[in-house]
């Protein structure tokens, strides 16, 4: 299991990340998100039913977001150009390794281990300079990744704001949304760490900081009992709404 990528390792030389260090750290963020979908425990899992329910919904949210952001990484960042050959391990990761089976955890574990192994093979080949392993994160990629993240998070955001949400489904919607947000929190922390100068030069460091602060608050939003009567869904939706605004500002700045 990779270390929590939110605690991004310092550059080996104490100054700037090498291209390979950036590549390994960024890919570890995707590996971490995949690993988190295979096991876990949540604050409001107060009985066995809640344990099965909320954990699966949280993991499902992470899975839905991570699948799309991982595919973006494989097809846009881990290549030099549109016509370039893709690394076999990464193709394995996205083509057959990112299937989520809520009712069959062992199948999910098998599929996700296959994805993780594909990423790790790419990391090894990148260091050795073999088998079409490459990494090429550009400003346009950051812009497009932020756009994708905004699109992804809108799915659970809209669900939280829907009318007539039943008390039986509100916790599902809340924890699925939190899963989406946690997947994005990991990616955004790494983007900021490895592209800080570029982000700062475009005047967007405050946007990233505020977006991350809001994602931290979403991560900490853990009602013991989720209910529409106390507006838990609308409170979380408001946090996501503010996060989306900051993400939009960050994306706009990267287009300068």
């Amino acid at each position: 299991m990779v270390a929590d990528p939110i605690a991004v390792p310092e550059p080996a030389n104490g100054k700037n990340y090498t291209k390979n260090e950036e590549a390994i750290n960024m890919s570890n963020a995707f590996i971490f998100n995949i690993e988190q979908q295979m096991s876990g425990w949540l604050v409001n899992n107060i009985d066995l039913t809640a344990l099965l329910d909320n954990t699966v919904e949280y993991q499902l949210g992470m899975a839905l977001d991570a699948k799309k952001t991982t595919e973006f990484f494989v097809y846009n960042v881990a290549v030099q150009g549109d016509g370039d050959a893709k690394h076999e391990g990464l193709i394995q990761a996205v083509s057959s390794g990112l299937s989520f089976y809520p009712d069959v955890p062992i199948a999910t574990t098998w599929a996700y281990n296959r994805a993780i192994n594909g990423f790790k093979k790419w990391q090894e080949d990148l260091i050795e300079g073999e088998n079409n392993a490459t990494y090429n994160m550009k400003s346009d990629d950051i812009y497009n990744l932020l756009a994708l993240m905004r699109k992804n998070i809108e799915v659970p955001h809209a669900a939280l704001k829907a009318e007539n949400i039943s008390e039986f489904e509100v916790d599902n919607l809340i924890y699925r949304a939190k899963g989406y947000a946690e997947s994005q929190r990991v990616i955004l922390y790494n983007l900021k760490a490895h592209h800080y100068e570029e982000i700062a030069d475009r005047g967007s460091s405050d946007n990233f900081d505020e977006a991350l602060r809001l994602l931290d608050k979403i991560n900490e939003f853990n009602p013991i009992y989720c209910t529409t009567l106390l507006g838990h869904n609308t409170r979380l939706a408001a946090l996501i709404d503010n996060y989306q605004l900051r993400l939009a500002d960050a994306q706009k700045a990267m287009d300068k």
Side-chain angles (χ1 to χ4, degrees), residues 126-153:
L126 183 72
I127 293 171
E128 298 297 328
E130 298 177 349
N131 299 324
N132 300 313
T134 187
Y135 176 86
N136 188 32
M137 176 76 83
K138 305 181 296 295
S139 297
D140 287 351
D141 294 321
I142 298 174
Y143 176 89
N144 290 327
L145 180 55
L146 294 175
L148 176 62
M149 291 165 67
R150 287 178 60 200
K151 181 179 179 181
N152 287 356
I153 200 73

Side-chain angles (χ1 to χ4, degrees), residues 44 74 81 88 93 96 102 114 129 132-133 154 173 190 193 199 220 244:
N44 77 338
V74 170
E88 184 177 336
S96 60
R114 182 173 169 82
N132 300 313
E154 177 54 27
L173 297 178
N190 275 270
I199 290 166
E220 295 163 1
Q244 284 180 305

